[in-house]
Amino acid sequence: MHYSELVDMYEELEATTKRLEHTHIISEFLKDVSLEDLGTTLLLLEGRVFPRWDEREIGMASKMMLKAINVASGDTRTRINSEWKKTGDLGTVSYNLIKKKKQSTLGSHELTIDKVLNNLRKLVTIEGQGSVDKKVSLVAELLTSAKPSEAKYIVRTILNDMRIGVGEGSIRDAIVWAFFGKELGIKYNKEEKNIGLEDREKYNEYMDAVQRAYDITNDFGTVTEAAKKHGLNGLGNLSMKVGVPLKAMLALKVDDIEEGFERCGKPAEFEFKYDGMRMQIHKKDSNIKIFTRRLENVTDQFPEVVDYVKKFVHEKEVILDSEAVGYSKKTGKYLPFQSISQRIKRKYDIQKMSEEFPVEINVFDIINYKGKSVINESFEDRKKIIKRIIKNIPKKIKVAKSIVTADKKDVERFYKEAVDSGNEGLMIKKLDAPYKPGARVGFMCKLKGTQENLDLVVVKAEWGEGKRSKWLSSYTLACRDDGKFLEVGKASTGLKEKREEGLSFAEMTDLLKPLIKKEEGKEVILRPKIVIEVGCEEIQKSPTYSSGYALRFPRVIRLRSMDKPPEDATTLKQVEDTYKKQKK
Ligand code: AMP
């Protein structure tokens, strides 16, 4: 298939933000794609060059891209830079500049989707000395043979920023419309915004089938191939493979023990909620793979875990769900997530890191046993399997600590024990529930203490990208210490796109713009005037910010400037106290 066909669809998608319209455009397109092109098409549609669970990524920075555009278009870097500032999107910049150039040198040959994908994949393999130059010339070559609109999306794919507003949901729906639209009698009517459904139940059944197939394969290419070849049966027959990650089941928050019992029934199982990182562990004989919750492959970063699984998991083929939690070498006590987070991206000194920041694996679920899915077995039975196959070796690998009870008093005691030994709280598990990959259905719930909000001063901000390029959309926050302001983190969530919905990016921009002292690239330094209330999951020690602390998952709650001047903002001491309190 020619790349230009795909690009025409990208353009169509970008021209509207309506979900139904997106679904329609994609489904019409998919109907005509040949079986052999489906895999590539779906990857590129998602703006990917590898399936989401593959550890390889292009990782090309904007600066390098600037160089490539410079080589391909012949324009000066100053010019490219100023275009970038204006549009906030290097894709559009390359479109404009290559268009200008192409008017004089017409006649390049057609790019195919395979050629584009293969070249982008080559970028990943270039390493070592001179790799920057090699990457730049590979991209420049691709851009030179591209039409302007093709160049735009090649650049965006490389930078991992497609701006066509298509999410997993639209793709899933489009697959249903494309391959089962006839059976379901789907007739899309743009004006009336409806699809003329006769049997909603049947429609939902097909949706679930596609979603399920995606949750266990994490690859829309595989899903569409199965749907095109064997219809609904094909989807049903797709099974998980040990070695290919599936989406993790997610937790629902409950406010108290009663609500936990309501959701999960009585009795329920209560487990320590360890504060570490989720690890999905795949074992097939001596071949072990470890994936994060975002399905990144981190096997190489955790050699000791590979070793524990080989030695202490007594079964040849399994997929386990677990939490890896860091502990202090000196005291043996659990440490907050922060302590091990630095291991995730690490490429060198891995052995040293594993000795300095060791982790303990706490297994709490099993997804595959002896090569077969066990997601439809009850949690109770799955837990029995785990206990049978795992040898408990504290500080290495063990079964997550738990009790089964219907008594609130037991839970209160157990909660205290959890928090006293450095954990976040408890997880509550429904005994007769299956494992639902990717779903937040309340079969597992979390119970943890809440954190007080902080009132922080905005000291820097950053201009956004794409749709947000006219707004200051990311805010550096500071607490106060003796008249100085010390940074504790950055927040960009919690604000609204539209003014009428609450505190919006536009309103913040209006407030902050007059306070700009200096611009440095996309970042602006501000006079410290605006105070906002910020919530976060946790406060961590961190060398990144001048306060020595960092907020985990900060979100903006509301503007406080009206009732709180910067002089009354949260102090460093208060940050420290909250940090200590949460450790207790
Ligand atoms: P949260 O990230 O706050 O939504 O809490 C859910 C996360 O807690 C899971 O994704 C796991 O990473 C982690 N976790 C820690 N201990 C457990 C446990 N015993 N069972 C399930 N998840 C756990």
Side-chain angles (χ1 to χ4, degrees), residues 271-274 278 293 323 364 429 446 448:
E271 288 173 349
F272 275 13
K273 184 178 193 304
Y274 301 93
R278 189 128 181 203
R293 171 164 158 181
E323 186 84 354
F364 56 77
K429 309 281 172 87
K446 54 184 172 188
K448 56 181 184 181

Side-chain angles (χ1 to χ4, degrees), residues 13 162 263 290 296 335 343 369 397 449 490 497 527:
L13 290 168
M162 290 301 280
R263 293 228 170 246
I290 305 169
E296 281 168 304
L335 297 171
R343 291 187 61 181
Y369 176 54
I397 186 168
K490 267 189 190 174
E497 302 265 358
R527 283 182 283 136

Side-chain angles (χ1 to χ4, degrees), residues 274 304-305 307-314 325 327 334 359-363 386-387 389-400:
Y274 301 93
E304 81 273 33
V305 177
D307 195 43
Y308 304 157
V309 174
K310 278 187 188 162
K311 282 195 191 130
F312 308 120
V313 177
H314 299 295
V325 52
Y327 61 88
Y334 287 143
V359 295
E360 175 187 81
I361 304 299
N362 288 278
V363 179
I386 300 175
K387 287 185 177 156
I389 64 172
I390 289 173
K391 188 159 181 211
N392 271 334
I393 316 268
K395 297 288 175 293
K396 292 192 164 119
I397 186 168
K398 59 187 186 48
V399 183

Side-chain angles (χ1 to χ4, degrees), residues 140-158:
E141 198 190 319
L142 204 54
L143 294 181
T144 310
S145 49
K147 293 176 193 143
S149 51
E150 291 174 334
K152 170 161 124 190
Y153 292 101
I154 289 172
V155 167
R156 289 182 179 180
T157 305
I158 296 174

Side-chain angles (χ1 to χ4, degrees), residues 514-531:
L515 304 175
I516 296 179
K517 279 200 294 197
K518 207 161 99 199
E519 301 226 18
E520 289 175 355
K522 292 174 86 72
E523 190 173 65
V524 300
I525 319 281
L526 302 163
R527 283 182 283 136
K529 293 281 179 222
I530 301 292
V531 180

